[in-house]
Amino acid sequence: MDATLVAELSAALSPDRVHTDQLEQVLYGRDASLMRGDTGVVCFPLTTAEVQACIRTALRHDRAVVPRGSGTGLAGGAVPLEQPVLIVTTKMTDIEVDVDNRVAWVQPGVINLDLTRHLRPLGFHFAPDPSSQQSCSLGGNIANNSGGPHCLAYGVTSAHVVAVEVVLPDGELTMLGGLGADPAGLDLRGAFVGSEGCMGIATRIAVRLTPNPPAVATLLADFVEPAHAAAAVSAIIAAGVVPAAIEMMDQRITQAVEAFVGAGYPIDAGAIVLIEVDGLPGGVAAETAKVREVCMAQGARSVRVAADEAERMLLWKGRKTAFGAVARVKPNYYLHDTVVPRTKLLDVLQQVYAIADRHDLIVMNVFHAGDGNLHPLLVFDAREPGILDRVHAAGEEIVRASLEAGGVLSGEHGIGLEKQPFMALQFTQPDLDAQARLRDAFDPDGRCNPAKVLPQGSRCGDLAHLDAHHRERLLADGVWV
Amino acid sequence: MSAGHGPLAPLPDRVVRDPALLAFADEVGGVDAGPVAIEGGRTQWHLGGHCEPGTRLVRAPAGVVAFEPAEMTIQVRAGTTLDELDAALEPAGQRVALQGLPGTATVGGVLSVGLSGPTRLGHGHLRETLLQARYVSAEGLLVTAGGATVKNVTGFDLCRVLVGSFGTLGLLGEVILRTRPRPQAAAWLSGPADPTALFDRLYRPVSLLWDGATVWLYLEGYPEDVEAQTAIALEAGLVPVDGPPPLPSGRHSAEPAALRSYRPDAPRSGRFVAEFGVGVVHGEWSGPTQAPPDASVVALNGRLKNLFDPTGRLNPGRDPLTPSNGKADHR
């Protein structure tokens, strides 16, 4: 480790917030993906000025910077490469509510659910609710343009971010967007949200406050056949109802979750669909009736409406802890996040099962069915020889099936390192080149989270930073670049 | 993909084959073809700086390419007018959240200008309707930004910077837009009332306009809900009306909270209609001078323009940094 670099960072922050020890090296070398990187200096700034100091120090020492929130990302976006200065924002947790402007200014380390809890007494919440909302940070949500079950009706993170204070990769401070109705210039705020840490580091974010709905109903529809469940999802949308959320879980995941949290799910169901409608009482009653009617017509065995808030919370707890429950089946999982046209859901889902069968793998499906956002979990034990090859081969086939149906590579998890190679399936060279130019406008030298998102050869020469030696080391770790 | 495989090629359907789009790209041409500007319905032609006189003008192709009602998305060429778009969606009971904008405006035009209509409070910013855009780049190439599905975070989000770019980064040729169900009931109400108190009592009204003395409220939804919200408005002294007031032609941008402290007796040199909860003020006066954007923002705008259009051939004279306030001069 470069002692001068560490000394300068320690002077700029404080020695207890600049870490280089072995435990941190291991801990911060990973996110929630399968990839492992090469951790450098781990910094924990408290303020915008400290983030600036970290970036400027890194610049002087010709080190890249990698921003990191809670590390719950599933695509390797926060995995450090080539010992960068890792800027961990978890200690930046201030919240400042501006009710008159219907926004809250938050620092990037604020946990998603903490913000919603903070807003609850005021009658508001933050609409994006990723399944990891108990642990994921707002900064990470901004970086990934995160979704969650309720994005079906409310939209993903980008629709809920009004302004972002950003330290740019050259250390300059800027404000993208603003509280005013029509900020002048290009929508740089929109470009920044979802840029996976490649365009700078958000240090303060103005997020929109969403009023809590006066009425909510959560329905659990129980199907014998997964095909009928998928057909019901399409039929609900086709009936002109856009619920707040439509989530589907197949039998394997339902059983794992039920054993894990006891959410009251029917374990003999072929698939269950969790539907939430919210808003004013008239619409909630009308949509509850319509959803029930559509589900029964598509072959549901039963449709249960949660009787009270406790039952409602329990139904959601099951859904949101699904990934954790997978550990009961196998120690590892590999997950794709493709989105398919809603009318192709059934077709692609059947292909996913067939692909897993062909590769002799267990697949579990728990996903945001309402917007066609699949989350097929290939569960496995990494100690089994040769299994990673099968997992990756099946993964590629799932991606191809989704894209061939007219879909896209990622609905909410982002591209990071893990999904990079597939970018060339979805986009042409001019498409990728245009994205590279957008990134170059913010980070001409590729200093901020280099070698992520765009595949090699997109134009910006990202991977030039990642020399052959480091690529080999990533591969040697059994990691799949 | 395992590391041993060769590079992947785009799937066949990702390569643009629509003859209308290919012809449009040919017409725009590459860098050698010189400056080019795009016109739509000319309903907001005066905004975003002045198109340099004598620039060769092109129009985007028009027409609906695909509409699958159960998908709740529609694929249209950018020269399609909002009236044509609405006519295509109406039989399926759907619409796109581009309400309150002129029907003769084109889809590509309103997206390139990027200013939402007066229902933004309830429907959201118009940029949220755009899922995929195909545009002709300064090099004359067709580029696809975004994707066809309602949810997508694949790669960097070019769609965002295209909306409100006044065609300075690329010329929109075709888009996929998100549709929504048309509401079962709707109502406009108006009367002298305190907009702040009304706003705080209602649940997500679609539009709340205020001219300093009178408010206009627009509600949409299920009949029972519209009725219940109407009751609140009636109690506050509003009465049913046919629609919103005419909006003055000037426009400036304020923070939503600033409208809460606007007072009817404040000196004004003309009529205004403010979008409560949003911050847009339509005024007959030039509005307060807006602070110039920060130098860092100006620099980022400039870098982006240079990277996308190094010779400055796309819509010369247009600049998204031109403030949208001030009286329209209808040049």
Side-chain angles (χ1 to χ4, degrees):
Chain A
M1 194 61 58
D2 182 338
T4 330
L5 171 67
V6 176
E8 285 181 27
L9 288 166
S10 299
L13 276 59
S14 78
D16 63 326
R17 289 188 285 109
V18 178
H19 295 198
T20 56
D21 53 274
Q22 197 56 41
L23 177 65
E24 253 89 7
Q25 295 293 307
V26 174
L27 209 55
Y28 291 96
R30 293 194 58 172
D31 59 8
S33 71
L34 294 174
M35 313 198 79
R36 189 180 317 129
D38 193 7
T39 316
V41 192
V42 186
C43 301
F44 297 88
L46 299 176
T47 63
T48 299
E50 287 188 354
V51 171
Q52 272 185 297
C54 289
I55 290 188
R56 287 184 165 144
T57 308
L59 265 179
R60 278 200 303 278
H61 289 264
D62 198 25
R63 295 286 178 121
V65 296
V66 172
R68 179 188 172 99
S70 302
T72 57
L74 290 158
V79 169
L81 303 170
E82 291 201 302
Q83 304 197 350
V85 172
L86 194 65
I87 301 179
V88 184
T89 58
T90 49
K91 292 187 190 296
M92 300 176 73
T93 55
D94 286 351
I95 302 175
E96 196 183 312
V97 180
D98 175 357
V99 173
D100 284 352
N101 275 314
R102 297 277 167 106
V103 297
W105 283 99
V106 299
Q107 280 189 308
V110 171
I111 301 298
N112 176 298
L113 191 58
D114 287 349
L115 175 60
T116 281
R117 285 194 180 123
H118 187 91
L119 297 173
R120 193 172 294 150
L122 302 169
F124 297 99
H125 67 288
F126 179 60
D129 61 336
S131 299
S132 56
Q133 74 180 132
Q134 290 189 44
S135 49
C136 65
S137 70
L138 268 303
N141 293 170
I142 301 321
N144 285 296
N145 194 8
S146 299
H150 288 82
C151 290
L152 177 58
Y154 290 93
V156 293
T157 297
S158 179
H160 301 277
V161 173
V162 177
V164 199
E165 178 190 82
V166 174
V167 181
L168 292 168
D170 64 1
E172 287 299 304
L173 188 65
T174 190
M175 180 69 77
L176 309 178
L179 301 192
D182 295 313
L186 298 165
D187 183 14
L188 302 170
R189 169 213 65 87
F192 184 85
V193 176
S195 63
E196 303 197 32
C198 297
M199 296 184 187
I201 301 185
T203 45
R204 281 179 86 222
I205 309 144
V207 296
R208 211 178 281 289
L209 310 185
T210 301
N212 294 338
V216 183
T218 305
L219 293 81
L220 179 74
D222 161 355
F223 293 85
V224 174
E225 291 296 329
H228 294 166
V233 171
S234 297
I236 291 168
I237 301 291
V241 178
V242 182
I246 309 182
E247 301 288 306
M248 184 166 152
M249 297 167 71
D250 69 7
Q251 186 172 44
R252 282 204 188 101
I253 193 81
T254 303
Q255 289 176 348
V257 167
E258 191 54 26
F260 188 50
V261 293
Y265 295 162
I267 53 171
D268 59 338
I272 61 170
V273 182
L274 202 58
I275 305 124
E276 186 154 285
V277 294
D278 70 9
L280 291 162
V284 169
E287 293 188 345
T288 300
K290 188 76 194 169
V291 166
R292 180 194 290 276
E293 180 194 318
V294 170
C295 288
M296 294 309 287
Q298 295 294 331
R301 278 196 304 198
S302 70
V303 179
R304 184 174 110 210
V305 183
D308 53 29
E309 186 62 12
E311 186 180 358
R312 205 178 76 74
M313 294 315 288
L314 193 58
L315 289 177
W316 275 116
K317 186 180 175 191
R319 166 61 185 91
K320 295 206 171 182
T321 53
F323 290 0
V326 168
R328 297 180 68 90
V329 181
K330 295 277 182 183
N332 304 95
Y333 64 78
Y334 179 65
L335 166 68
H336 274 289
D337 172 43
T338 60
V339 191
V340 299
R342 305 191 252 217
T343 48
K344 303 281 176 59
L345 196 59
L346 175 54
D347 173 44
V348 177
L349 197 56
Q350 284 170 337
Q351 290 188 57
V352 167
Y353 287 115
I355 290 165
D357 275 352
R358 267 206 305 281
H359 292 277
D360 192 21
L361 291 167
I362 299 176
V363 66
M364 300 174 133
N365 281 289
V366 45
F367 59 102
H368 310 306
D371 21 42
N373 189 183
L374 294 168
H375 287 344
L377 287 140
L378 296 165
V379 298
F380 61 97
D381 185 338
R383 291 165 298 191
E384 192 182 315
I387 193 150
L388 266 173
D389 289 342
R390 268 152 60 209
V391 166
H392 290 144
E396 179 170 344
E397 286 180 36
I398 289 170
V399 167
R400 279 188 183 275
S402 302
L403 295 188
E404 278 165 6
V408 300
L409 183 50
S410 178
E412 54 180 20
H413 299 167
I415 302 303
L417 270 178
E418 212 176 59
K419 305 300 190 290
Q420 234 173 6
F422 299 118
M423 288 288 279
L425 277 178
Q426 183 176 332
F427 293 110
T428 66
Q429 188 59 43
D431 303 343
L432 292 171
D433 177 72
Q435 291 185 32
R437 293 186 205 196
L438 179 55
R439 190 259 169 92
D440 286 356
F442 284 84
D443 187 15
D445 302 320
R447 290 288 167 200
C448 211
N449 214 9
K452 304 285 171 69
V453 183
L454 295 176
Q456 189 168 19
S458 294
R459 175 177 173 274
C460 59
D462 263 346
L463 285 193
H465 288 286
L466 188 65
D467 63 33
H469 169 69
H470 280 94
R471 282 190 76 84
E472 271 164 29
R473 277 182 53 191
L474 280 165
L475 290 166
D477 278 352
V479 168
W480 179 62
V481 180
Chain B
M1 190 187 72
S2 56
H5 291 197
L8 300 177
L11 294 174
D13 71 325
R14 305 301 151 127
V15 180
V16 182
R17 297 185 205 284
D18 177 1
L21 280 184
L22 296 173
F24 177 54
D26 279 348
E27 189 189 356
V28 173
V31 174
D32 296 346
V36 59
I38 190 163
E39 63 177 339
R42 285 188 173 249
T43 59
Q44 300 177 93
W45 189 250
H46 56 282
L47 297 175
H50 303 303
C51 178
E52 222 161 74
T55 308
R56 180 168 63 98
L57 278 175
V58 296
R59 299 184 70 90
V64 174
V65 179
F67 173 45
E68 174 70 60
E71 207 58 64
M72 300 205 70
T73 61
I74 187 166
Q75 185 169 18
V76 295
R77 298 194 189 97
T80 310
T81 66
L82 297 189
D83 278 343
E84 289 161 355
L85 175 69
D86 204 54
L89 295 167
E90 202 274 330
Q94 295 181 21
R95 64 179 183 185
V96 173
L98 297 170
Q99 310 301 305
L101 296 164
T104 57
T106 62
V107 169
V110 297
L111 291 172
S112 296
V113 172
L115 297 174
S116 307
T119 56
R120 174 170 158 189
L121 179 62
H123 294 165
H125 196 287
L126 60 69
R127 64 184 171 229
E128 307 301 338
T129 65
L130 181 63
L131 301 174
Q132 176 180 291
R134 285 189 161 142
Y135 67 90
V136 181
S137 71
E139 292 82 16
L141 300 172
L142 278 162
V143 177
T144 303
T149 55
V150 292
K151 200 173 177 190
N152 175 23
V153 297
T154 316
F156 298 128
D157 200 349
L158 282 172
C159 283
R160 301 296 131 196
V161 289
L162 291 171
V163 175
S165 67
F166 289 91
T168 57
L169 303 180
L171 306 185
L172 287 180
E174 181 209 272
V175 296
I176 297 179
L177 303 172
R178 177 199 299 271
T179 69
R180 293 277 184 197
R182 289 174 113 88
Q184 293 185 7
W188 274 101
L189 297 117
S190 178
D194 173 7
T196 302
L198 200 54
F199 185 56
D200 292 343
R201 283 194 64 193
L202 296 165
Y203 177 69
R204 303 183 76 177
V206 179
S207 188
L208 184 61
L209 307 174
W210 182 58
D211 73 354
T214 304
V215 301
W216 287 262
L217 168 68
Y218 182 52
L219 303 168
E220 283 181 345
Y222 285 87
E224 195 184 317
D225 296 332
V226 171
E227 213 172 284
Q229 297 276 293
T230 296
I232 294 171
L234 294 175
E235 200 185 289
L238 277 64
V239 294
V241 292
D242 290 338
L247 298 178
S249 58
R251 176 178 179 123
H252 74 94
S253 168
E255 293 187 7
L259 300 185
R260 289 178 176 248
S261 56
Y262 269 42
R263 286 291 169 262
D265 59 353
R268 295 283 168 220
S269 55
R271 198 171 74 88
F272 75 93
V273 177
E275 293 179 31
F276 215 79
V278 175
V280 172
V281 182
H282 306 267
E284 277 168 0
W285 86 106
S286 60
T289 306
Q290 281 172 292
D294 189 75
S296 60
V297 168
V298 173
L300 279 168
N301 273 267
R303 286 215 292 270
L304 203 50
K305 171 68 177 173
N306 282 335
L307 285 162
F308 275 74
D309 181 19
T311 64
R313 66 178 293 248
L314 301 177
N315 286 294
R318 300 288 192 196
D319 181 358
L321 284 165
T322 310
S324 60
N325 69 334
K327 274 186 176 173
D329 59 10
H330 300 292
R331 192 173 298 207

